[in-house]
Amino acid sequence: MLNQNRLRIAMQKSGRLSYDSKKILNSCGIKINLTKNKLIAFAENMPIDVMCVRDDDIPGLVIDGVVDLGIVGENVIKEKLIYDKINYKKNKYKILKKLDFGICRLSIAIPVNNTYNGLLSLNNMRIATSYPNLLKKYLDSKKISFKSFVLTGSVEVAPKAGLADSICDLVSTGATLEANGLKEVKIIYKFKACLISNNKIDYVKQNVVDKLLTRIQGVIKARESKYIMLHVPKNKLEQVVLLLKGAEKPTVLKLVGDNTKVAMHMVSRENLFWETMEKLKLLGASSILVLPIEKMME
Ligand code: PRT
Ligand code: ZN
């Protein structure tokens, strides 16, 4: 039974966002037991229930208040926001936080053998897409006239099937375009998964939302950051700090039995690339360790 006092979150049941959605909730300390055929899972340690559904159903569930929060692609939300605006529908939800997965882009692609000389090449084309509103918003802003041909799936086969001259679809690796004899000519929007929320959340649930948001923030920051440890010749400290851009102020510690070097520890917002490690080595640094960070709170 659903308990009205518990925060309800919808996520994709199976698909591109399901693994990472589950992972981020787990990393936030929400203990859920999601088995294959379960629609809903109740967290044991927090007043949170997780509902697993098709991604297309998530905005509706949030709008209707069946769930309070949803994890869904920004592409789905942005397309819907434009649709709602055109149809004078009131927004009953908002984007709370952009997440760090589900990264993709909405691009225009044309057959590989066709020439492309900028957006004007698209004038009067018939473009197959599942995102007619986003496509229209972009091409209208560039004053390009076109006809959209709306398909909910297999958009990439439309040119071969003679249904359209080009397509506008989500791309991540580009393999699907290549396999269908298409080339990406224009990225029009970039997207990530995001956390959306119903506009009306009561005071008790809002406390849970605030806690969850702080934890999500911490998980994302930790995933972006690295803990770096190394031994540095004392007279090269300043040069080493200059090389470690994106790093917070380092801690410097004495080394037992070595007066020429010190140990430096720091958190870096960026990964430490091999090139930088090689430069550090040339400055005399040694024992360079780059470690992942599991959790962070500032
Ligand atoms: O069953 P359900 O309705 O829940 O899932 P779905 O099939 O509608 O969605 P799904 O799982 O394919 O995608 C869910 C979300 O993942 C999308 O709304 C996006 O926010 C995000 N995402 C990230 C992507 C991609 N990358 C992506 N590459 N969604 C779709 N694609 C498709 C694209 O449409 C094309 O067919 O993958 C193909 C291209 O991929 P590449 O790697 O060949 O370029
Ligand atoms: Zn879907």
Side-chain angles (χ1 to χ4, degrees):
M1 258 301 279
L2 284 179
N3 178 336
Q4 297 301 322
N5 296 321
R6 290 166 66 88
L7 188 78
R8 275 166 287 168
I9 309 174
M11 57 165 258
Q12 193 185 24
K13 185 173 169 60
S14 74
R16 284 189 164 81
L17 301 183
S18 46
Y19 174 81
D20 289 313
S21 302
K22 187 179 167 205
K23 192 169 156 202
I24 202 163
L25 295 177
N26 277 333
S27 304
C28 288
I30 305 168
K31 285 194 183 152
I32 36 169
N33 181 14
L34 284 175
T35 49
K36 219 177 168 192
N37 298 316
K38 249 192 190 172
L39 172 71
I40 191 152
F42 308 100
E44 304 153 19
N45 58 338
M46 285 177 88
I48 291 177
D49 298 336
V50 177
M51 201 182 241
C52 297
V53 293
R54 287 201 57 185
D55 70 338
D56 317 76
D57 295 335
I58 295 176
L61 290 169
V62 173
I63 290 166
D64 294 342
V66 177
V67 297
D68 306 291
L69 306 181
I71 299 176
V72 67
E74 254 183 303
N75 45 302
V76 175
I77 292 304
K78 297 261 164 89
E79 176 72 14
K80 188 161 169 45
L81 282 173
I82 304 176
Y83 175 86
D84 289 349
K85 200 171 167 192
I86 296 169
N87 292 286
Y88 305 103
K89 286 194 181 174
K90 245 185 148 183
N91 275 345
K92 290 186 177 166
Y93 61 103
K94 57 186 174 221
I95 295 181
L96 275 191
K97 173 115 194 89
K98 285 192 188 184
L99 305 170
D100 61 348
F101 57 88
I103 294 167
C104 56
R105 51 198 190 266
L106 186 63
S107 292
I108 297 175
I110 63 170
V112 268
N113 295 327
N114 293 8
T115 46
Y116 179 76
N117 298 313
L119 284 174
L120 278 176
S121 308
L122 304 173
N123 231 341
N124 299 323
M125 267 194 184
R126 199 170 160 86
I127 308 177
T129 188
S130 309
Y131 296 90
N133 293 305
L134 282 166
L135 176 65
K136 183 167 167 30
K137 182 178 174 191
Y138 182 78
L139 288 183
D140 281 359
S141 76
K142 302 291 176 193
K143 303 201 166 32
I144 304 289
S145 53
F146 74 104
K147 277 190 198 130
S148 64
F149 183 74
V150 182
L151 285 173
T152 50
S154 306
V155 172
E156 62 280 354
V157 301
K160 246 193 250 162
L163 298 171
D165 308 301
S166 59
I167 70 162
C168 171
D169 197 13
L170 296 178
V171 181
S172 47
T173 61
T176 306
L177 293 183
E178 207 185 315
N180 287 282
L182 299 167
K183 61 181 176 191
E184 186 176 10
V185 291
K186 185 75 198 165
I187 298 176
I188 66 170
Y189 294 105
K190 290 183 177 170
F191 301 119
K192 292 175 174 178
C194 62
L195 182 71
I196 58 165
S197 145
N198 184 289
N199 279 345
K200 284 187 191 149
I201 292 198
D202 68 37
Y203 172 75
V204 179
K205 284 183 180 177
Q206 189 58 48
N207 280 336
V208 186
V209 173
D210 292 345
K211 195 177 224 180
L212 183 65
L213 271 179
T214 310
R215 290 189 185 186
I216 288 179
Q217 187 79 31
V219 170
I220 293 176
K221 269 206 178 134
R223 292 205 283 226
E224 284 169 353
S225 306
K226 296 280 177 252
Y227 194 78
I228 302 170
M229 302 195 285
L230 66 165
H231 293 173
V232 180
K234 277 184 183 167
N235 59 352
K236 295 284 165 48
L237 265 176
E238 274 177 31
Q239 281 165 273
V240 166
V241 171
L242 281 177
L243 269 182
L244 295 167
K245 281 189 203 120
E248 292 182 350
K249 286 195 184 84
T251 306
V252 175
L253 303 158
K254 267 188 183 170
L255 285 175
V256 179
D258 185 346
N259 272 332
T260 62
K261 284 184 173 177
V262 283
M264 266 175 79
H265 289 200
M266 74 216 77
V267 171
S268 172
R269 289 269 178 259
E270 292 166 18
N271 202 348
L272 193 59
F273 295 106
W274 284 109
E275 290 76 11
T276 314
M277 287 175 79
E278 283 153 7
K279 285 180 190 161
L280 289 168
K281 198 96 192 114
L282 285 176
L283 284 173
S286 57
S287 305
I288 308 169
L289 292 182
V290 182
L291 308 171
I293 297 174
E294 200 184 292
K295 291 190 182 72
M296 257 175 117
M297 200 179 267
E298 285 173 338

